[in-house]
Structure formats: structure tokens, C-alpha cells
Amino acid sequence: MKILIIQQKRIGDVLTSTILSNNLKKKYPDAVIDYMCYAHCVDVLIGNPNINEIIVLEQEVRKSYPKLLKFFWQIRKRKYNVIIDAYSKLETNLITLFSGAETKISYHKSYSVFFYNHNMKRIKNGTKSELGLAIDNRLMLLEPIIKEPITENKPLLFLTLQEIQEGKEILKNANINTATKPLVMFSILGSEWYKSYPFEKMAKLIDHTVAQTNADILFNYVPSQIEDATKIYEFCSDKTKANIHFNIYGKSLRQFLGLLSNCNMLIGNEGGTVNMAKALNVPTFSLFSPSVDKETWQIFEDNKNISIHLKDIKPEIYEQYDGLYIKKHTFKYFDEYPIELIIDKLDDFFNAVKEN
């Protein structure tokens, strides 16, 4: 059996959809399972033993009709038996159409039902389980070909010992000793402007973390974000700045994961970085943007994986306004998060991590 999983878009989406390949390989150990994604997401798939080949849909192919048609033909020549399209946009609808696969599975959408013979209706209101809708809806895509109850529901990342050791060496060269002090990765910037907690308030959380734990601090950012990262750094107190290793960051996603695997916890904006930390079993404390869907992405939470969403604090706001209005006024609604409440929950998180 040959199976193709398609998941485009962001790193968090691609990582989460690895639960499809993981369960398929468990059910069909002799199957060839390929995974299609965009180039910037490949690193979260590397080393996964449940994926035979990573197929990259390059940006230059997407923007060229001749190249896209050639790509369709290349997929067809692979003779997949099953296509699972977890993205379901026009380009993946067409890939599925031209694939020649007998079994084609995706989410139900009125404009694309003709492309698939299994159109699964997403759960939208409430959760089917405590896992969160991002997990529940993906596992639903397996129902046509896996009838047994599914127990493998957590995305995993696979690092080599060399990558983990490289992270240790970078820390050692920066005089960071994780045996004597905790090491905290701060996800200081969201993937979009509306997913970033206000800089000055983020600095207050970093100040509080250092005051309570005396931890060494790493910032998660890329060189193109250095201006915003510097602004957050400057908002921090002088005492906190002494604990921030500003120039230590991953030069690649795999190097970042090696560093993250050596951290005691991750704190900051909810998003793909939080999903990666959970996949590495690094405890997380995250802040949701007010307009991000809580029911979908509040996944795998316990006393060592805590998140805060405005809907938990002031649900009446969501009865008055829709998501688009809240997104447009993101920073107004970030002000509705009582920082005292965040700090109280942060202290509970520190205690939970310390006890384990």
C-alpha cells in the first residue's frame, strides 16, 4: 500500500499532522507513507521513522502552471493507493484529483466534495475529547482506513543524539550550566503580528521568571526579527538582562530544536514553537492571542503544560463580538488579560515543573 499525507501551511500544522503517519505505520507497517509539505516545514519531519519520503511542494512550482502540471504528473506516477489531504485547498484538491488514488480522504467542504470519496465533517463546537480539536479532527481522517481505537495521539519530534549534543555544546560554550540553574526558552514573538503578546508585558513576564527562578533565558527569534527581539530585551530590567543570552539562538530549525531539547521549560506566545516543545516533552506555559481558536489548539494540557486564553477569563467578550472583530482589535483585548492572573498561574507552573 502507498499512502500520501498532504499538510501544507505552518510548522505547527505539519507537526500535528504527523499523528496520521505515526498511526498509519503502526496499523500498516509495510506501507509506504510519504508526506507532502512546504519547504520551511521539512525540519519537523526529518528523522520520523513513520515517514518514508518527504515531498516538498516548492513555492516556484505553486506559482507556475506548467511546473504545477508537471508536479501533478510526478505524483500520479507514484501510484498512491490512498491520499489523505489534511489541508484541502485548491492546489491540494487538484493534486488529489490527478493522483489516481482509489481512496481519497479530506474534510468536508461544499466546493471540494467531488475531489474525495471520504469527506469527513470537522467537529466545530466543543471537543470530542480532552485532546483538542486539532487532534480530534485529524484522527477523524483515519476513520475510513483504521477501524480500531487510536491510542497514538501525540505528535513527536525525532532528534539525533548528535543534534542534542550540539545543543549542549552551544550552551557550554556560552557558560550556561543546566545542572546548576534552570534554562528557559521564551517564545517572545508570534508567527503573525496578532499572535504576539505586547512587548512590554512580555518583558514583565521575563523579569518575573528570573526573579522567581534565577533561570538563564534564551529568546526564540530569527535574524529578521532581531529589531523586535531587541525591543523586548530593552524593556527587561538590568538584573534580567544579565540572565538573557541574547545571541544564543538556533541558526536553523533543527539547531533550535537541539537547544530546546536541553531547556527546562518554554514560556511565551502560543503557536508552532509550543507544539514543538510539547513534542519534545518540554513543559510549556503559553499565552493565546485573543482571536486564535482555543478549542482547536489548546491541546495536551496538564499541570506542566498550561495556557491562558481570554475566553477562559472573559467569555462574555466572545458573545458580543466575532473573531474578525477581536483580531482587528487584538491589542485592546490583550489588555483584558490581567497580568496578575498570568503571574499567579506562572508561579503555579514553576512549582509544578520543580516537583517533577
Side-chain angles (χ1 to χ4, degrees), residues 15-131:
L15 175 59
T16 303
S17 287
T18 58
I19 60 174
L20 302 176
S21 59
N22 299 345
N23 280 286
L24 286 166
K25 188 63 84 170
K26 182 177 180 181
K27 171 66 177 177
Y28 303 104
D30 296 327
V32 173
I33 300 171
D34 296 340
Y35 198 121
M36 183 186 298
C37 66
Y38 293 152
H40 70 277
C41 299
V42 167
D43 280 357
V44 297
L45 303 178
I46 291 173
N48 189 324
N50 304 305
I51 297 171
N52 290 83
E53 186 175 349
I54 302 168
I55 298 173
V56 177
L57 180 52
E58 300 283 2
Q59 184 75 0
E60 64 179 37
V61 173
R62 298 174 63 212
K63 291 187 173 183
S64 166
Y65 287 120
K67 290 181 180 179
L68 196 55
L69 287 171
K70 182 179 179 182
F71 183 81
F72 293 162
W73 180 245
Q74 290 170 342
I75 295 300
R76 187 177 183 87
K77 287 197 296 184
R78 289 174 176 264
K79 297 182 179 180
Y80 291 108
N81 304 104
V82 179
I83 302 281
I84 300 178
D85 180 2
Y87 189 53
S88 193
K89 300 291 185 182
L90 180 59
E91 68 184 17
T92 61
N93 298 157
L94 294 174
I95 289 168
T96 302
L97 175 66
F98 286 104
S99 70
E102 300 164 8
T103 303
K104 301 178 284 290
I105 307 167
S106 191
Y107 296 116
H108 181 275
K109 293 183 178 181
S110 59
Y111 63 82
S112 64
V113 292
F114 303 106
F115 294 97
Y116 307 92
N117 46 22
H118 296 279
N119 293 276
M120 315 303 291
K121 290 191 175 181
R122 292 176 188 262
I123 307 164
K124 292 186 177 179
N125 298 314
T127 58
K128 183 178 177 182
S129 72
E130 73 283 357
L131 301 176

Side-chain angles (χ1 to χ4, degrees), residues 193-339:
W193 67 269
Y194 64 90
K195 293 184 178 181
S196 291
Y197 190 56
F199 295 175
E200 193 166 0
K201 293 183 178 183
M202 179 63 75
K204 289 181 180 179
L205 299 184
I206 301 168
D207 284 344
H208 183 76
T209 298
V210 171
Q212 293 299 110
T213 67
N214 193 33
D216 284 308
I217 305 295
L218 301 181
F219 282 180
N220 174 30
Y221 69 96
V222 294
S224 63
Q225 297 172 317
I226 192 166
E227 184 176 342
D228 285 340
T230 301
K231 288 177 183 177
I232 294 171
Y233 174 82
E234 291 299 336
F235 278 128
C236 293
S237 70
D238 289 340
K239 180 182 177 182
T240 299
K241 288 177 182 176
N243 286 42
I244 297 173
H245 300 267
F246 189 84
N247 294 319
I248 304 299
Y249 59 89
K251 303 299 191 297
S252 67
L253 182 53
R254 295 298 289 190
Q255 190 179 82
F256 165 75
L257 292 172
L259 289 169
L260 179 58
S261 70
N262 286 284
C263 291
N264 298 97
M265 62 191 90
L266 178 138
I267 299 170
N269 294 289
E270 183 279 332
T273 305
V274 172
N275 295 327
M276 287 186 274
K278 288 178 179 178
L280 290 171
N281 293 314
V282 175
T284 61
F285 183 95
S286 54
L287 293 163
F288 271 85
S289 169
S291 63
V292 170
D293 183 22
K294 163 185 179 283
E295 286 77 14
T296 297
W297 290 107
Q298 205 167 36
I299 60 177
F300 302 111
E301 301 229 328
D302 52 31
N303 64 335
K304 292 192 296 178
N305 289 283
I306 297 171
S307 70
I308 297 178
H309 195 294
L310 184 59
K311 187 178 276 191
D312 299 322
I313 304 167
K314 298 182 178 180
E316 65 276 7
I317 290 173
Y318 295 84
E319 296 170 4
Q320 295 176 283
Y321 303 106
D322 63 19
L324 287 176
Y325 179 89
I326 292 171
K327 179 179 176 180
K328 184 178 179 181
H329 298 87
T330 290
F331 294 110
K332 170 186 173 182
Y333 288 109
F334 262 134
D335 287 339
E336 298 284 347
Y337 290 66
I339 195 162

Side-chain angles (χ1 to χ4, degrees), residues 127-181:
T127 58
K128 183 178 177 182
S129 72
E130 73 283 357
L131 301 176
L133 292 182
I135 301 298
D136 286 335
N137 283 321
R138 283 170 169 81
L139 292 179
M140 188 189 303
L141 295 174
L142 295 175
E143 289 179 4
I145 51 177
I146 298 181
K147 304 301 181 183
E148 298 84 0
I150 290 174
T151 57
E152 302 291 330
N153 51 41
K154 186 176 180 181
L156 300 172
L157 281 162
F158 297 87
L159 296 180
T160 65
L161 291 176
Q162 182 178 346
E163 288 171 325
I164 295 170
Q165 186 59 38
E166 182 185 358
K168 291 182 186 296
E169 289 298 319
I170 292 171
L171 298 175
K172 181 181 177 181
N173 292 336
N175 295 317
I176 298 173
N177 187 347
T178 57
T180 57
K181 289 171 64 177

